[in-house]
Amino acid sequence: MVQTRDWRALVRPAIEGLDPYVWEISSAEVAARFGVPVERVVRFDTNTSPFAPIHLGGALGEFGTTMPLNEYPDTSYGPIVSRLCRYTGLLEDRIVVGCGADEILDLTVRVFVESGKRVVVSRPSYAMYPVLVQAYGGVLIAVSDREPFRRDVAALIAAGRSADLLLLCNPNNPTGDLVGRDDIERIVREVACPVAVDEAYFEFSGVTVADLTDRYPNLVVIRTLSKAFSLAGLRVGYALASESMAELLNRVRPPNSVGSLSIALAAAALDALDVMRANVAAILAEKERFTASVGPYVEAIFPTATNFLFLRVESPERVVAALLRNGLVVRDLSARPGMRGCLRVTVRRSEENDRFVAALASVA
Ligand code: PMP
């Protein structure tokens, strides 16, 4: 049955009623609009220092001379947004940039969740979801996977019908499970509440529902430059959504959570998509080799659509200790319900992966 709920009615009244922060006009826009060369634009509006941060000396390299770090970055993150338009095919008013996918998740929860609101997640999933939901006073409704670690789409839909928000990680962290596009479309259509699909690992799975935001205003797709683009240290993530959803996220977005250096470097990375794609291909090829060499030493390896392996070992304490003795750190999920012995292992360079296999073999 298709529901006819109005997702827009699920926006918190406090957010629906608030006066959004009015962004400062960017220097580039002043220059374009008023015909002043951009280097002649002076910010008397932001209470910043007129002095360049020369105490940083050579640490900034070429950026020290070309980037006005004493000023705030352009709050619309124009250089990133224009490139994301090219990368995703969406228009700029449907893209929201933030400090990592984590900030975009935070904005999403902030718009819809307050005391008593019901948020559906699959279990297990990304550990930040319960933290965010609880922080905003929401009630977490965790829908357990069907064995072995595959999402239960029918149960998610059933729970989502009376929910105020549904958060779906696709492919899932930590299991690597991928829900197909048709199933996601069914979820988005049938639950009718806001649905956030976290595609942090999209470049590895190759599967996206970003295009469905054309048709489903209740859908928001969340992505990051932290994984495939090799830029976790920059802290850049983004949302792809309907105009209406993007406008809501922008209402609660801090104006300057992404720094100027991050903006410049993210823009450069988005100009080099071929490099990102070659890296993804190399990681996926190495994943095959790594999976094969790990195989003999583990109880099970579950298929993943990501840049990590998800596996189960018989004695996690011994394995994790042996790995740590060699300086190798994995995500041990043993403490989570039904996940004894489960480890999440990132695919790294082949020499590093060989060290992992050798340490694992030493336990066997
Ligand atoms: N979502 C998922 C599923 C993740 O695995 C991560 C990174 N651990 C994030 C979001 C956060 O990404 P970012 O570094 O962009 O904040």
Side-chain angles (χ1 to χ4, degrees):
M1 180 196 66
V2 177
Q3 294 209 339
T4 51
R5 288 198 289 158
D6 176 12
W7 72 277
R8 197 57 218 220
L10 296 171
V11 175
R12 286 169 51 198
I15 304 296
E16 197 64 86
L18 72 70
D19 291 328
Y21 185 94
V22 180
W23 311 117
E24 289 83 12
I25 183 169
S26 73
S27 299
E29 203 178 334
V30 174
R33 226 197 272 174
F34 301 100
V36 184
V38 73
E39 61 282 4
R40 296 281 300 160
V41 174
V42 182
R43 303 309 306 223
F44 286 97
D45 59 337
T46 49
N47 302 338
T48 47
S49 170
F51 304 118
I54 53 169
H55 47 291
L56 295 178
L60 287 171
E62 62 179 296
F63 291 112
T65 49
T66 56
M67 191 176 290
L69 283 177
N70 53 319
E71 305 295 357
Y72 286 106
D74 161 14
T75 55
S76 63
Y77 307 134
I80 300 181
V81 171
S82 59
R83 286 161 177 89
L84 286 176
C85 288
R86 226 181 312 141
Y87 179 48
T88 66
L90 265 66
L91 295 176
E92 60 187 65
D93 54 6
R94 293 176 50 193
I95 299 173
V96 181
V97 172
C99 182
D102 277 339
E103 184 177 61
I104 303 292
L105 283 164
D106 185 279
L107 302 180
T108 307
V109 175
R110 199 180 305 171
V111 167
F112 295 104
V113 180
E114 61 188 339
S115 184
K117 293 268 193 149
R118 296 157 62 86
V119 184
V120 171
V121 298
S122 67
R123 180 164 62 197
S125 196
Y126 183 38
M128 274 307 289
Y129 302 157
V131 173
L132 286 171
V133 172
Q134 289 167 61
Y136 286 97
V139 178
L140 191 75
I141 297 165
V143 175
S144 293
D145 280 359
R146 329 185 251 112
E147 289 301 311
F149 304 118
R150 293 292 168 255
R151 254 74 64 85
D152 190 335
V153 172
L156 285 166
I157 291 174
R161 285 202 167 115
S162 57
D164 300 297
L165 176 66
L166 190 148
L167 298 173
L168 188 75
C169 192
N170 205 47
N172 195 30
N173 174 5
T175 61
D177 173 44
L178 183 72
V179 177
R181 273 171 55 87
D182 291 351
D183 278 335
I184 299 213
E185 183 165 6
R186 260 181 65 213
I187 293 172
V188 172
R189 194 176 54 228
E190 296 191 21
V191 301
C193 70
V195 176
V197 177
D198 181 344
E199 293 187 353
Y201 299 93
F202 151 66
E203 284 83 3
F204 300 102
S205 74
V207 172
T208 182
V209 289
D211 55 299
L212 298 184
T213 59
D214 290 349
R215 273 182 288 143
Y216 298 98
N218 57 325
L219 171 65
V220 52
V221 171
I222 297 172
R223 302 236 191 111
T224 180
L225 301 198
S226 293
K227 312 291 179 185
F229 285 89
S230 313
L231 290 172
L234 282 192
R235 312 305 305 129
V236 177
Y238 59 98
L240 305 171
S242 62
E243 247 176 77
S244 176
M245 179 71 82
E247 188 270 333
L248 286 164
L249 299 182
N250 269 323
R251 283 181 184 216
V252 291
R253 172 169 79 78
N256 296 114
S257 55
V258 182
S260 305
L261 278 166
S262 295
I263 295 171
L265 296 174
L270 288 163
D271 281 338
L273 293 175
D274 49 337
V275 175
M276 179 278 287
R277 290 187 176 121
N279 287 344
V280 167
I283 288 166
L284 293 177
E286 173 61 17
K287 182 182 169 188
E288 296 285 307
R289 195 192 73 90
F290 192 25
T291 303
S293 36
V294 159
Y297 307 108
V298 299
E299 219 174 59
I301 299 193
F302 301 93
T304 59
T306 56
N307 63 334
F308 55 80
L309 311 186
F310 180 61
L311 45 86
R312 196 168 58 217
V313 296
E314 204 173 318
S315 44
E317 295 83 2
R318 287 178 59 217
V319 167
V320 170
L323 291 169
L324 282 174
R325 275 198 301 278
N326 288 279
L328 308 172
V329 190
V330 295
R331 179 59 65 95
D332 179 6
L333 298 148
S334 289
R336 296 214 208 165
M339 297 187 78
R340 177 151 170 83
C342 290
L343 306 180
R344 196 193 69 199
V345 184
T346 308
V347 178
R348 297 198 54 102
R349 291 165 180 271
S350 53
E351 318 82 82
E352 296 168 330
N353 298 336
D354 288 345
R355 279 178 59 197
F356 178 95
V357 176
L360 190 62
S362 74
V363 183

